[in-house]
Amino acid sequence: MTDALATQRWVPAESSRAPLPSSTDVLVVGGGIAGAAMAYHLAKAGVEVTLVERGELNREASGTNAGSFHLQLAIHQLSGQGAAADRERLLAEARLSLKAFAVWQELGAELDAPLDVHLTGGWMVAETPEQLRTLRDKYELEQLAGIETEVVTGDELRQRAPFLSDTVIGATYCPLEGHANPLIVAPLYALRASQHGAVIRTHTEVLGIDVTAATGARRFTVHTDAGSIDAHRVVDCAGAWAGELAAMVGLRLPVRSEGLHVNVTEPRPRLLTPMVQHIGRRLTLKQTEQNTFIIGGGWPSPAAPRPERYPTSWHSAAGSTAVAVSVVPALADVRVVRTWSGVIVFTDDFSPVVGESVRVPGFHACVSSTGFTFSPLLAHRLAEHMVAPSASRRFPERYALDRATPGTTS
């Protein structure tokens, strides 16, 4: 690769805003990490693919999250009924985490560029006996799945993590957790996809989809504000808006979305290297290479109708930082210098939505709540299945697109 290509990180604007082609084999909708990864793997395999994004690439969830790698089972994966009640699902997700981690380990080499991946290790803390029991329960599942974690309490915890508050009575540690720069990965996937022949079009919003009964090459006519395009297959990578897209072809996806907050502080001398999460309260905390602290964890942002963006709120910004200070007291006098809102997608049954619809053949989706961690893996697997369908590449029934559509039996 030439030096110019090695330093290029974005699809050129003049290319991404060119006219929409009239047809394509696969139309990918959504320019976040899932959509860009889908376009990359399909194009690399020689598939004719077009990606459309209604705004700019990586402008929504993929580019506004805190960039954390989650290997430990986290609060947003728990149904509230206890780890034992969700045993099979959580065990499957823990095993999937390891496979996702393996993809991230090789992703810089795959995309031929540094991704600011930092494996720092991670603590998940508990402040009540009930939370500590949850840590112990999920620790057993993580061990069965092959994830290296340990439960640490008492004097050992104080020695190994002296920055934690006395209110923290126990924590699990995983050496494989860390973070990457969320501003880099999706745009780089899109750039590599375009270099393999994919068509990338931004500022192209899908307004409707017509589905024909024909079995020929172009089953879908997708209408956008930049014109219409015929496609043999469609992949829904619209994240928080995946349900709206699926509804255009008569499907109901079990997805919902929430706005969320992320806060960044001024730099301070190095205090903590590992990431810190909470099993019972919304918190992710990390100190960056620039020594600033990123405080996330999914504190909500008020909803806003498009084209408005989710606004920030004092309640969530203050609540998020208050949890961080209660867990790491040394942050009490650190100033927050920036806060922004993002969006996250959740599924009603906690499982991803990945694969092809039975009711609407040719319509696929790739949607995951822990999208930054899992999307590179799930997109690669879905692309492989679309290129060479086989029983061995089928996704579990609990991932099925049709599972929430009335009149469907999975």
Side-chain angles (χ1 to χ4, degrees):
M1 180 176 294
T2 66
D3 290 343
L5 288 178
T7 57
Q8 186 178 349
R9 291 296 182 98
W10 288 82
V11 176
E14 62 272 16
S15 169
S16 64
R17 298 182 185 182
L20 188 68
S22 61
S23 66
T24 188
D25 180 356
V26 178
L27 181 70
V28 177
V29 181
I33 190 170
M38 281 297 312
Y40 167 74
H41 288 294
L42 289 170
K44 186 179 178 183
V47 176
E48 181 189 43
V49 57
T50 299
L51 180 151
V52 295
E53 160 58 44
R54 69 185 181 189
E56 295 287 355
L57 297 174
N58 204 43
R59 187 63 184 89
E60 302 294 349
S62 295
T64 57
N65 74 94
S68 304
F69 294 142
H70 295 285
L71 263 74
Q72 297 189 65
L73 294 167
I75 182 174
H76 67 271
Q77 294 170 280
L78 304 178
S79 67
Q81 301 175 5
D86 298 323
R87 180 182 179 86
E88 293 307 314
R89 175 180 61 81
L90 291 174
L91 186 56
E93 289 193 16
R95 289 171 173 153
L96 191 68
S97 294
L98 276 179
K99 295 173 181 176
F101 173 71
V103 171
W104 273 101
Q105 283 184 301
E106 303 296 330
L107 194 53
E110 171 79 21
L111 299 179
D112 197 19
L115 302 178
D116 285 359
V117 175
H118 303 283
L119 300 181
T120 62
W123 290 100
M124 184 171 290
V125 304
E127 294 182 282
T128 68
E130 182 180 2
Q131 291 170 1
L132 185 56
R133 282 194 296 273
T134 300
L135 287 185
R136 295 187 190 281
D137 288 345
K138 76 181 190 66
Y139 162 77
E140 295 180 5
L141 295 179
E142 289 159 353
Q143 296 306 293
L144 287 173
I147 297 176
E148 182 183 350
T149 57
E150 56 181 317
V151 181
V152 185
T153 60
D155 291 341
E156 183 182 358
L157 180 61
R158 303 298 160 216
Q159 292 170 4
R160 294 175 57 180
F163 48 82
L164 293 176
S165 167
D166 290 341
T167 64
V168 176
I169 63 173
T172 49
Y173 180 75
C174 176
L176 298 182
E177 292 187 310
H179 58 93
N181 187 338
L183 302 180
I184 292 176
V185 184
L188 189 58
Y189 261 129
L191 175 63
R192 297 291 182 256
S194 70
Q195 290 167 348
H196 282 289
V199 173
I200 309 293
R201 294 292 183 265
T202 58
H203 297 275
T204 303
E205 181 173 5
V206 174
L207 304 176
I209 304 176
D210 296 332
V211 184
T212 69
T215 58
R218 312 295 178 196
R219 295 198 64 243
F220 301 92
T221 298
V222 180
H223 304 288
T224 81
D225 57 2
S228 297
I229 180 170
D230 293 328
H232 179 208
R233 296 172 286 182
V234 172
V235 187
D236 183 350
C237 295
W241 299 272
E244 297 177 16
L245 188 76
M248 295 179 184
V249 298
L251 296 177
R252 176 186 171 191
L253 299 188
V255 299
R256 56 187 173 83
S257 63
E258 288 184 10
L260 55 81
H261 269 71
V262 182
N263 306 285
V264 176
T265 75
E266 63 184 340
R268 284 295 178 91
R270 177 60 50 175
L271 174 66
L272 62 101
T273 296
M275 177 170 65
V276 177
Q277 303 175 74
H278 204 298
I279 191 57
R281 303 167 74 185
R282 291 186 174 192
L283 174 68
T284 62
L285 171 66
K286 62 183 72 69
Q287 190 169 14
T288 70
E289 293 298 296
Q290 293 74 37
N291 288 327
T292 61
F293 294 94
I294 300 178
I295 305 170
W299 277 77
S301 168
R306 290 198 67 250
E308 299 295 326
R309 297 189 65 81
Y310 285 72
T312 57
S313 77
W314 168 250
H315 175 270
S316 284
S320 176
T321 53
V323 175
V325 169
S326 72
V327 172
V328 181
L331 295 178
D333 67 342
V334 180
R335 293 178 298 180
V336 172
V337 297
R338 188 160 64 99
T339 184
W340 69 86
S341 64
V343 64
I344 187 171
V345 63
F346 293 101
T347 58
D348 296 337
D349 54 11
F350 301 94
S351 291
V353 182
V354 187
E356 181 178 9
S357 171
V358 174
R359 286 175 62 99
V360 186
F363 189 88
H364 302 71
C366 185
V367 183
S368 174
S369 293
T370 314
F372 192 73
T373 299
F374 287 126
S375 287
L377 170 67
L378 295 175
H380 192 183
R381 287 187 172 184
L382 180 55
E384 285 183 329
H385 182 70
M386 293 176 69
V387 171
S390 71
S392 64
R393 291 192 175 99
R394 288 180 182 169
F395 292 94
E397 285 296 321
R398 65 180 182 279
Y399 290 14
L401 274 69
D402 308 284
R403 64 187 189 261
T405 302
T408 298
T409 55
S410 298

